[in-house]
Amino acid sequence: MSSPARIAPKPAPPTKPKRAFGWILVMIVVLAGDAGLAYMADRARLREEARAEAEQIQRVRMTYGAFRGLKVNAVVADLLNTRREDVLRFYDSYTQDREISHLLTAFALAYDIPVHYFVALAWAESRFRPGAINGHKNQNGTTDYGLLQLNSAEFPDDTPEFLMDLGHNIRIGADHLDAFYRRYGDWTEALISYNAGTGTSVARSSVRHVADILEYSYGLDEAFVERFLREE
């Protein structure tokens, strides 16, 4: 009896190319930024996170009765007319510099920027150091100059010396922040954009940065009320 014909084994299906390299790239993107720990998020999500933090701080603020609807700028402007030295001395206790106190309040009022947002922005950007220069943390090779950390890419036609000048620095910073507010109609969004630019993706650190600004500004509100508006 003849042996049955041998059936050739079925060829193995071709293997799919490994995608390890692709996953490595994904992980690099996920872990990139802010010492490898921050993630990138879309602007809408950042705005909601910042708003949530702001609302939480606002609840704490209202617990202590800060301002309760008073318009800060109107109060500051009025007191600068009647108790100018006292008001500037109050801000001096934060900035440690009379010229900085004067210029921050003057340009905030001129641009109708909430005074305590603007003072808090200067604290967050440079800790009130007009000589601050930051280049080593910018991955795009740009440099931030002065009290309000004006970025060289945003103002390519201005020299570092010009951007470092205190008066020019504060005026340009106020104009820059005001432009973002007029674009978005929202101070949270304006502060995020001031720190991160107008791209569709920004680092999570910008959310924390804005939350720090809001928290600091509300602390200023509390202290201002206690100093000037406390009911006897």
Side-chain angles (χ1 to χ4, degrees):
M1 183 175 178
S2 61
S3 60
R6 299 184 60 185
I7 302 175
K10 185 178 181 181
T15 58
K16 296 182 179 179
K18 295 183 177 180
R19 298 182 178 179
F21 184 70
W23 281 110
I24 291 174
L25 289 178
V26 171
M27 293 303 297
I28 290 175
V29 171
V30 170
L31 297 176
D34 293 338
L37 298 177
Y39 67 88
M40 303 305 288
D42 61 85
R43 185 166 297 277
R45 179 174 181 178
L46 284 172
R47 182 165 56 248
E48 290 307 313
E49 289 187 11
R51 284 186 185 283
E53 296 227 31
E55 288 172 1
Q56 181 178 2
I57 295 168
Q58 177 75 1
R59 285 193 292 272
V60 174
R61 176 194 181 200
M62 294 308 295
T63 299
Y64 291 94
F67 277 118
R68 291 194 175 98
L70 289 174
K71 294 182 178 179
V72 179
N73 282 25
V75 175
V76 173
D78 182 62
L79 288 173
L80 279 171
N81 289 327
T82 59
R83 300 176 60 183
R84 182 178 183 80
E85 182 62 26
D86 289 341
V87 171
L88 289 179
R89 191 180 295 120
F90 168 80
Y91 292 114
D92 289 348
S93 67
Y94 293 90
T95 68
Q96 305 300 313
D97 187 294
R98 173 55 60 89
E99 186 177 10
I100 292 176
S101 299
H102 165 66
L103 290 172
L104 285 175
T105 54
F107 279 110
L109 292 173
Y111 280 87
D112 203 24
I113 297 168
V115 172
H116 292 166
Y117 280 4
F118 202 45
V119 174
L121 176 65
W123 168 80
E125 292 293 336
S126 69
R127 296 302 189 268
F128 300 121
R129 293 181 296 118
I133 298 177
N134 172 40
H136 66 282
K137 292 183 179 179
N138 293 343
Q139 297 180 0
N140 59 1
T142 60
T143 303
D144 303 319
Y145 293 104
L147 186 80
L148 293 175
Q149 292 291 276
L150 303 179
N151 186 265
S152 57
E154 295 286 343
F155 309 100
D157 296 330
D158 295 323
T159 65
E161 293 75 19
F162 184 84
L163 295 176
M164 289 290 292
D165 177 83
L166 183 60
H168 291 313
N169 188 277
I170 295 177
R171 176 185 60 78
I172 294 170
D175 187 74
H176 198 47
L177 181 61
D178 177 64
F180 284 129
Y181 178 73
R182 285 186 282 107
R183 177 174 182 175
Y184 297 112
D186 179 89
W187 283 113
T188 298
E189 183 73 13
L191 290 166
I192 289 176
S193 297
Y194 186 98
N195 178 254
T198 57
T200 57
S201 295
V202 295
R204 181 176 173 79
S205 60
S206 292
V207 175
R208 184 64 254 173
H209 188 76
V210 171
D212 287 343
I213 291 172
L214 295 174
E215 189 169 12
Y216 192 91
S217 73
Y218 295 157
L220 282 168
D221 286 355
E222 298 285 348
F224 194 87
V225 168
E226 181 68 17
R227 176 68 179 82
F228 295 105
L229 302 175
R230 182 181 57 193
E231 295 181 1
E232 299 297 338

